[in-house]
């Protein structure tokens, strides 16, 4: 990827304060894009702004579970002359538990944040992309969308829903030069996975043919690829990055 392959593009990354989103924010910026990242708090947004290494970066507050948040976010960005060409729906949460005991609130929170949040942000972003007849929508899904995972019925449903959503967007966006794809990471070292018991993490790593967890930068590289010219003819796909944990 050339260093300036995304020069002139504006990229929006949700959940950029930590983990995969933070790596995506840096990688898109390193590729020449102007990048805005989001966090759920003002402190997080400021951290994102300050973390921009050698590119034009900004941070905004955004709660994906809030029904008005996408519109408010895009209006705030429009005031700064920032109309996203690339939108990465990365913000995500888990609230694990076996289905028989899963509380409605844990189902709702995960679906609202991971799926409805992506739906609303994609919907709000599309008009600007359609006008430009160019756009890249990328959702961060998960290996478990396809494989399933005991204790994550809400999370698996949200990610499988996201993959379906993005395939529909791919069909609707194609005539206007807009691609929509999802990236499905396997087991990546971030706060989300570090909160799991060490023993469980070790069990997971044993199942990965490449013998280690993924790094956030390895997911970010795929996002940059899909956003750049190399991704021009790719739409409606899910790109699996999991060290061989699942082979489809
Ligand atoms: P993480 O380290 O837990 O970071 C989560 C990010 O999402 C943070 O920036 C957080 O912001 C933001 N966020 C949390 N709740 C939000 C909300 N309601 N609205 C908007 N933003 C919110 O997670 P990660 O591991 O980097 O995961 C990033 C994405 O990759 C998620 O969609 C996750 O499902 C997916 N994924 C991760 C793995 C993995 O192994 N780590 C595997 C497959 C898929 P604050 O800092 O403000 O809380």
């Amino acid at each position: 990827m050339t260093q300036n392959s995304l020069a002139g593009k504006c990229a929006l990354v949700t959940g950029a304060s930590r983990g995969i989103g933070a790596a995506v924010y840096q990688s898109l910026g390193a590729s020449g894009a102007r990048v805005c990242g989001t966090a759920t708090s003002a402190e997080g947004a400021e951290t994102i702004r300050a973390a921009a290494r050698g590119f034009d970066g900004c941070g905004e507050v955004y709660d994906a579970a809030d029904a008005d948040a996408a519109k408010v976010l895009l209006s705030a960005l429009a005031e700064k002359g920032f109309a996203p060409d690339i939108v990465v729906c990365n913000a995500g949460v888990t609230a694990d538990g076996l289905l028989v005991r899963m509380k409605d609130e844990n189902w709702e929170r995960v679906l609202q944040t991971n799926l409805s949040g992506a739906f609303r942000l994609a919907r709000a972003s599309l008009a600007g992309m359609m006008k430009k007849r160019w756009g890249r929508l990328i959702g961060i899904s998960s290996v478990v969308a396809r494989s399933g995972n005991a204790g994550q019925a809400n999370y698996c449903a949200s990610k499988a829903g996201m993959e379906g959503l993005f395939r529909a967007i791919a069909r609707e966006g194609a005539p206007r030069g807009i691609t929509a794809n999802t990236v499905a990471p396997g087991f990546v070292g971030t706060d989300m996975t570090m909160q799991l018991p060490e023993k469980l993490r070790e069990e997971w790593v044993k199942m990965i043919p490449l013998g280690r967890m993924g790094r956030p930068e390895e997911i970010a590289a795929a996002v940059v690829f899909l956003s750049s010219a190399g991704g021009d003819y790719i739409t409606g796909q899910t790109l699996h990055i999991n060290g061989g944990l699942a082979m489809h």
Side-chain angles (χ1 to χ4, degrees):
M1 211 62 60
T2 62
Q3 213 184 345
N4 291 317
S5 57
L6 297 178
K9 302 293 185 202
C10 288
L12 172 62
V13 185
T14 65
S17 49
R18 303 182 270 130
I20 292 170
V24 170
Y25 175 75
Q26 293 296 341
S27 298
L28 289 171
S31 301
R34 189 178 166 202
V35 195
C36 178
T38 76
T40 57
S41 67
E43 299 75 40
E46 173 52 24
T47 306
I48 292 169
R49 190 200 59 74
R53 286 196 291 267
F55 63 90
D56 185 358
C58 74
E60 291 286 337
V61 177
Y62 162 79
D63 176 359
D66 174 346
D68 297 324
K71 267 194 208 157
V72 172
L73 173 63
L74 287 178
S75 302
L77 291 178
E79 279 176 25
K80 295 180 180 171
F82 187 109
D85 304 287
I86 300 160
V87 172
V88 185
C89 298
N90 166 77
V93 292
T94 54
D96 297 352
L98 292 175
L99 185 63
V100 285
R101 287 196 291 270
M102 187 170 284
K103 293 196 173 84
D104 282 6
E105 66 202 54
N106 285 346
W107 172 265
E108 296 295 343
R109 187 161 75 86
V110 172
L111 269 289
Q112 281 296 324
T113 307
N114 299 4
L115 180 57
S116 302
F119 152 66
R120 292 192 199 100
L121 187 58
R123 182 178 60 182
S125 308
L126 270 173
M129 293 178 179
M130 282 178 170
K131 256 186 234 151
K132 295 185 206 173
R133 301 192 82 80
W134 197 94
R136 297 283 176 268
L137 280 157
I138 299 165
I140 306 300
S141 177
S142 167
V143 64
V144 301
R146 185 80 73 90
S147 65
N149 194 21
Q152 289 198 307
N154 48 2
Y155 185 75
C156 294
S158 72
K159 297 299 189 181
M162 174 190 252
E163 291 184 7
L165 167 69
F166 275 64
R167 283 192 289 272
I169 297 170
R171 298 251 179 217
E172 293 186 17
R176 309 285 180 96
I178 299 162
T179 68
N181 294 286
T182 50
V183 171
F187 201 47
V188 181
T190 67
D191 291 350
M192 185 178 274
T193 45
M194 288 306 158
Q195 74 190 4
L196 298 170
E198 196 178 342
K199 208 162 163 35
L200 188 61
R201 281 206 309 271
E202 285 169 7
E203 291 303 315
W204 272 96
V205 170
K206 278 189 204 147
M207 293 188 284
I208 301 172
L210 286 179
R212 63 169 175 85
M213 294 172 84
R215 302 182 190 102
E217 295 71 25
E218 291 169 325
I219 310 305
V223 172
V224 172
F225 170 68
L226 289 170
S227 304
S228 308
D232 280 355
Y233 198 55
I234 303 173
T235 198
Q237 306 302 313
T238 296
L239 180 49
H240 293 269
I241 306 175
N242 58 39
L245 175 63
M247 301 187 191
H248 304 287

